[in-house]
């Protein structure tokens, strides 16, 4: 929705001026298993949560042909490969889902320190990272671990681990599916992701999704938003969460450049 804090603040200002609801789309907070984890935590099932690890990756991989093709183009072939439009890479586009989910689990505990390591494999512009590993410390002392990669082969990957003083939760969006398939010839796009089906993901072991829209939270998210619109109530995930997540990403980019941990809050010019 935005690529820096200045744009985030402009969006929040515009929403307030127009008097409309700020519906921030974060499906992880509505996915049945991920949402149930929050309910269990709120009931005290884990005691005090002290660390959350979250991963979101795409199974695009890195082919020499694609890498060469991208490097030889005079202009970016897609907005994703255009830094001025994308503002970054996998962390800003995908890893940010994990950042928002951890914030959700920790009841919006403010992030205070961020350290990151990034790696660019596929894109000619090194500012567009393929891989990111980020650690976050929160005001209450909790730790967050976010990792994301577009170059990870296999399939889409959404996982989380939540550790508390009295319990642990493991979440796996795809491999916990009720259907696992091993196929040598493949079976096409049956059960494939609604986003970008990964070529070859239907061969060997695979995890087709019977009802992705509900399993990944989109149906529940849209239903929540409709209820909020009808009732005139602010959604449980909103632009404040989006801005806070963008701030962590900006701090991660700064950390990678400087090689040091970055303290928050940042200034809006970031």
């Amino acid at each position: 929705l935005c690529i820096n804090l200045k744009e985030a603040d402009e969006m929040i200002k515009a929403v307030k001026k127009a008097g409309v609801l700020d519906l921030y789309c974060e499906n992880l907070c509505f996915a049945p298993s991920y949402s149930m984890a929050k309910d269990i935590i709120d009931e005290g099932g884990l005691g005090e949560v002290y660390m959350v690890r979250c991963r979101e990756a795409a199974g695009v991989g890195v082919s020499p042909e694609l890498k060469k093709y991208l490097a030889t183009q005079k202009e970016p072939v897609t907005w994703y490969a255009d830094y001025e439009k994308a503002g970054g890479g996998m962390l800003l586009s995908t890893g940010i889902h994990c950042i928002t989910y951890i914030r959700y689990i920790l009841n919006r505990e403010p992030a205070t320190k961020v350290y990151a390591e990034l790696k660019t494999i596929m894109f000619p512009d090194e500012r567009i990272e393929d891989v990111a590993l980020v650690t976050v410390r929160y005001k209450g002392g909790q730790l967050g671990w976010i990792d994301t990669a577009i170059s990870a082969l296999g399939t889409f990957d959404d996982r989380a681990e939540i550790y508390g003083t009295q319990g642990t939760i493991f979440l796996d969006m795809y491999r916990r599916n009720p259907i696992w398939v091993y196929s040598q010839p493949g079976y096409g796009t049956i059960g494939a992701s609604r986003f970008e089906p990964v070529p070859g993901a239907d061969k060997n072991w695979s995890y087709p999704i019977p009802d992705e829209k509900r399993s990944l939270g989109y149906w529940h998210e849209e239903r929540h938003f409709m209820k909020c619109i009808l009732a005139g109530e602010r959604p449980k995930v909103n632009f404040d969460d989006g801005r806070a997540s963008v701030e962590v990403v900006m701090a991660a980019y700064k950390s990678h450049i400087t090689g040091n941990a970055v303290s928050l809050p940042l200034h809006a010019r970031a």
Side-chain angles (χ1 to χ4, degrees), residues 78-91:
T78 172
W79 69 267
Y80 197 94
D82 186 340
Y83 178 77
E84 298 305 319
K85 295 179 179 179
M90 195 65 177
L91 181 60

Side-chain angles (χ1 to χ4, degrees), residues 160-197:
E161 301 171 9
I162 306 172
Y163 297 92
T165 55
Q166 294 178 290
T168 301
I169 293 176
F170 293 113
L171 295 161
D172 195 326
M173 191 83 78
Y174 291 93
R175 292 173 187 81
R176 56 91 180 165
N177 285 353
I179 176 171
W180 293 17
V181 179
Y182 182 87
S183 172
Q184 291 182 330
Y187 50 89
T189 59
I190 297 172
S193 173
R194 62 187 292 193
F195 299 103
E196 293 185 23

Side-chain angles (χ1 to χ4, degrees), residues 67-135:
K67 188 174 181 179
K68 182 178 180 181
Y69 172 73
L70 292 173
T72 56
Q73 301 306 299
K74 293 183 179 180
E75 298 292 334
V77 297
T78 172
W79 69 267
Y80 197 94
D82 186 340
Y83 178 77
E84 298 305 319
K85 295 179 179 179
M90 195 65 177
L91 181 60
L92 184 58
S93 68
T94 304
I96 196 167
H97 292 289
C98 290
I99 294 171
T100 304
Y101 182 67
I102 293 176
R103 171 179 163 84
Y104 176 64
I105 287 295
L106 297 179
N107 294 319
R108 294 186 167 88
E109 192 76 25
T112 59
K113 187 183 295 184
V114 176
Y115 178 78
E117 292 287 350
L118 312 177
K119 185 174 180 62
T120 301
I121 303 173
M122 179 167 36
F123 298 102
D125 192 333
E126 292 191 356
R127 296 174 296 178
I128 303 175
E129 74 283 351
D130 304 272
V131 182
L133 175 61
V134 181
T135 56

Side-chain angles (χ1 to χ4, degrees), residues 43-56:
E43 284 296 317
L46 265 61
E48 182 178 343
V49 174
Y50 60 85
M51 187 175 80
V52 183
R53 178 179 179 179
C54 189
R55 169 179 174 79
E56 182 158 320

Side-chain angles (χ1 to χ4, degrees), residues 134-252:
V134 181
T135 56
V136 183
R137 178 174 287 276
Y138 296 87
K139 187 175 180 180
Q142 305 95 330
L143 299 177
W145 171 327
I146 299 98
D147 65 276
T148 185
I150 195 173
S151 52
L153 286 170
T155 185
F156 285 97
D157 189 13
D158 273 287
R159 283 178 283 166
E161 301 171 9
I162 306 172
Y163 297 92
T165 55
Q166 294 178 290
T168 301
I169 293 176
F170 293 113
L171 295 161
D172 195 326
M173 191 83 78
Y174 291 93
R175 292 173 187 81
R176 56 91 180 165
N177 285 353
I179 176 171
W180 293 17
V181 179
Y182 182 87
S183 172
Q184 291 182 330
Y187 50 89
T189 59
I190 297 172
S193 173
R194 62 187 292 193
F195 299 103
E196 293 185 23
V198 178
D202 58 322
K203 297 180 179 179
N204 298 316
W205 279 111
S206 60
Y207 314 91
I209 308 169
D211 189 356
E212 185 186 45
K213 187 172 183 178
R214 284 178 169 78
S215 297
L216 270 62
Y218 297 104
W219 185 87
H220 305 282
E221 178 181 64
E222 292 163 7
R223 183 178 175 85
H224 173 70
F225 286 165
M226 288 302 297
K227 285 184 175 180
C228 289
I229 292 171
L230 292 173
E233 298 176 351
R234 198 180 190 197
K236 67 179 183 180
V237 184
N238 50 59
F239 281 11
D240 290 345
D241 301 302
R243 187 195 187 282
S245 299
V246 170
E247 184 177 35
V248 171
V249 173
M250 296 299 104

